[in-house]
Amino acid sequence: MRVRATARGGTAVWLVVVALAQAVAFALLWRLTVHTGTGQWLDTVALTGNRIGQQRIEGLVDRVLNAMSVFSLLVATVVIGFIALIRGRKTLALGATLLIAGANVTTQLLKHGLDRPALGIDPQRDAVGNSLPSGHATVAASVALALLLVLPPRVRALGACLGGAYAAVAGVATLSAGWHRPSDAVAAFLIAGVWAALAGLLLLVFQREQAQVARADAHGLAAAVLGLGGLAAVVASGLAVSSLLDQQQIAVDELTRRTLFIGYAGSAAGIAGTMGVVTSLVLLAVHRLVPRHKG
C-alpha cells in the first residue's frame, strides 16, 4: 500500500476555509430567513405544507424524533469515544467529543440568544420566539459527523452515507412534525459542520510528524456522490422555493395545496442536500485527520 507523509499545512488551510464558509452561510441564512419578510414567508409555506400526507409518515417521524434525547446523546458520545479509544486514538476521542459538545452547546446558546422579529407572517408561532437552530437536527448531525471521524477506513464511506442519511431524515422529520422551520435544520447542519472542521484542526495540532496517509483511505468517489448529490438537491430546492415568490402577497392559509407541497418538498430537499454537502466535506479530509499510520 502506498503511503506518504501528511500535508498538515494544506489540510489546516482547507479546514479553516470550510469552517469560515459554513459560518458565513449560517449568518446569511439567519439574516435572510429570520429577518426578512420573504424568508419568513417561505419558511412558513414549507411548515404549513407539512400537513400534506402527514398521517402517512407520522409514525416514522415520531420514532425518529423520540429516539433523540439528552440521554441518547450521552450514550452516543460515550460509544463514539469508546470506538476511538479501542483504536488507540485518545486525541480522536477528545476531538469527537469536542465536536458533539461544541455543536450542541452552540445550538442551545444561539437558540436562546438570537432574536426573531414578529413580522406578522406567522402570528401563531411568533409568540414562541426564535427556533433557529434545531436542537434535534444538531444532535443527529453532530453524532453522524463524529462517528465518521472515529470509524476505521474500511467502513468510513458506508458510515458517511448512513450517518448523513440519518441526519437528513432527522432534519426533515423536524419539519414534518411541525417542530421546526426548514432553516432551523439547515442552520443546525452548518453548525455541526463548523465544529467538525474545528475538531479536525485539533487533530492536526496533535498529529505526529511521522504520521502517514494511505491513498486507499481517501474515499473520493463517495465524497463526490454525497457532495454533488447534495449540491444538486440544494439547487433544486432553491429553484422550487424561488418559483413561489410571485405568490408572496397571498396569505399562507390561502395558498393552494400544490403551492404548499412545493414549499414543503423543496425545503425538505434543501435540508437533505445541505447534510450531504456537509458530510462530503468531512469525508474529503478525514483520511488526513486520522491517518492510518500514526507515526
Side-chain angles (χ1 to χ4, degrees), residues 48 51 247 249-257 259-260:
T48 305
R51 65 194 180 198
Q247 303 181 59
Q249 72 280 2
I250 303 175
V252 174
D253 290 340
E254 299 177 5
L255 293 172
T256 65
R257 182 182 177 90
T259 298
L260 292 175

Side-chain angles (χ1 to χ4, degrees), residues 46 68 72 85 131 137 151 155 229 287:
M68 285 180 278
S72 64
L85 291 175
S131 61
L151 284 176
V155 295
H287 67 289

Side-chain angles (χ1 to χ4, degrees), residues 20-51:
L20 290 176
Q22 291 177 104
V24 170
F26 172 88
L28 291 174
L29 177 74
W30 169 70
R31 178 63 183 170
L32 292 174
T33 61
V34 175
H35 285 269
T36 69
T38 298
Q40 286 199 13
W41 184 83
L42 290 174
D43 260 354
T44 305
V45 170
L47 195 54
T48 305
N50 73 344
R51 65 194 180 198

Side-chain angles (χ1 to χ4, degrees), residues 28 39 90 116 129 134 228 273:
L28 291 174
K90 296 180 181 179
R116 181 181 183 85
S134 163
L228 294 176

Side-chain angles (χ1 to χ4, degrees), residues 255-276:
L255 293 172
T256 65
R257 182 182 177 90
R258 177 179 178 275
T259 298
L260 292 175
F261 179 75
I262 291 175
Y264 169 72
S267 296
I271 293 172
T274 300
M275 190 60 205

Side-chain angles (χ1 to χ4, degrees), residues 83-91 294:
I83 294 174
L85 291 175
I86 62 176
R87 296 183 60 201
R89 309 271 184 154
K90 296 180 181 179
T91 305
K294 295 187 296 181

Side-chain angles (χ1 to χ4, degrees), residues 64-215:
V64 170
L65 295 178
N66 290 334
M68 285 180 278
S69 63
V70 174
F71 177 73
S72 64
L73 179 62
L74 291 174
V75 171
T77 304
V78 170
V79 170
I80 288 171
F82 180 72
I83 294 174
L85 291 175
I86 62 176
R87 296 183 60 201
R89 309 271 184 154
K90 296 180 181 179
T91 305
L92 180 57
L94 176 62
T97 303
L98 173 68
L99 193 169
I100 295 174
N104 285 278
V105 170
T106 299
T107 283
Q108 294 306 317
L109 291 175
L110 290 173
K111 185 189 296 288
H112 294 93
L114 296 177
D115 66 305
R116 181 181 183 85
L119 303 180
I121 295 171
D122 190 11
Q124 291 183 340
R125 298 183 181 90
D126 280 344
V128 178
N130 178 57
S131 61
L132 181 149
S134 163
H136 282 76
T138 303
V139 168
S142 61
V143 169
L145 297 180
L147 183 62
L148 174 55
L149 287 180
V150 304
L151 284 176
R154 70 182 67 179
V155 295
R156 196 172 281 157
L158 177 62
C161 294
L162 294 179
Y166 161 73
V169 168
V172 174
T174 64
L175 172 62
S176 299
W179 290 10
H180 280 284
R181 302 170 177 89
S183 58
D184 299 348
V186 173
F189 294 161
L190 294 172
I191 289 173
V194 169
W195 276 100
L198 295 177
L201 288 171
L202 174 69
L203 295 177
L204 283 182
V205 168
F206 290 96
Q207 192 176 97
R208 299 175 183 175
E209 292 290 344
Q210 300 84 1
Q212 293 181 321
V213 174
R215 289 186 178 181

